Amino acid sequence: MSSIRRHPDSLAAVQHEVAACRRCPRLVQWREQVATTRRAAFADETYWGRGVPGFGDPRAFLLIVGLAPAAHGANRTGRMFTGDRSGDWLFAALHRAGYASQPTSVARDDGLVVDGVYITAAVHCAPPGNKPDPAERAACAPYLARELELLPAVTVVVALGQIGWNTVAAHFGIRPRPAFGHLAECALPGGRTLLGSYHPSQQNTFTGTLTGPMFDAVFARAGRLRPRPPSST
C-alpha cells in the first residue's frame, strides 16, 4: 500500500482496498479455492472469495477486532462474522446489549444495522486452519491502523481472542505485551481501553470455555466504559 494518497482517506476506501487486496498469495489461493469448491450445504451459493472488509457505524464508540473470516462464513457472505456459528454468538450478544437491530447475521442484505459498533479483524482473508502466519498478520495491520484513525469516537476496543488482542496491543506499541484473558483490560493511549474476550469459536462455545453470560459481561463492561455525554443541566 502506497504511503502517498491523492484523496482523503475514508472507511469506504479501506473497505474497497480490503476487498481487492491480493498481498498474501497463500491466503488468496485458499480463499479462492474454498469459494470454488464450496461446502455441500452452500453448493448453490456464489461465495464472496475476497478480502472481507470491516463494517458498522462510522460513529462507533466500540471497535470489535476478531481473528479472520471463516472459510464458509464471511468468506462466503462477504460480511464479517456473518453466516457461521461465531457470528450467531456475536450478533445475538450485540442484540441483547442493544447494539444490533437483530440477533442474526446471515447475508450482507439481511437488513442488519449496528449502532455504536464497528467490526473488523486482525486478518481480512480466510486462512487455512484459521491460522494466519506472522507475515500475513503484518500485511493486514495497516488496515486496522487506518480504521482506528477513521473511527475517532472509538474509546473501547474488544479483542475476540489472543491474536486480536496482540494485534491491537502491537498497534499501540504497548510494552511489555499485556496478558490476554477474558475480561482482561489494558489502558491504551488517548483514553481508550482494550478489553479481552474469549473468541466465540465453536470450540470455545461447545466446551463452555465461553458461555452466553460470559459474553454478555464483555459488552456490559464495554457499555460502562462508554463516555457519557455532558449533562445539560
Side-chain angles (χ1 to χ4, degrees), residues 3-4 24 28-29 43 53 59 62 77-78 102 108 110-111 116 121 131-132 141 145 148 165 196-197 207 222 232-233:
S3 60
I4 300 175
C24 302
V28 171
Q29 189 277 333
R59 302 164 300 173
L62 173 60
T77 64
Q102 59 195 45
R108 294 194 308 281
D110 63 4
K131 294 180 179 179
L148 282 162
W165 174 274
S197 172
T207 61
S232 60
T233 57

Side-chain angles (χ1 to χ4, degrees), residues 132-184:
D133 66 33
E136 291 159 353
R137 290 161 56 184
C140 249
Y143 292 129
L144 177 61
R146 289 167 62 194
E147 287 170 325
L148 282 162
E149 289 180 358
L150 294 163
L151 294 165
V154 164
T155 54
V156 183
V157 182
V158 168
L160 301 179
Q162 187 157 14
I163 287 180
W165 174 274
N166 290 346
T167 297
V168 175
H171 167 77
F172 284 100
I174 305 299
R175 295 288 186 273
R177 180 181 295 172
F180 170 73
H182 192 73
L183 288 175

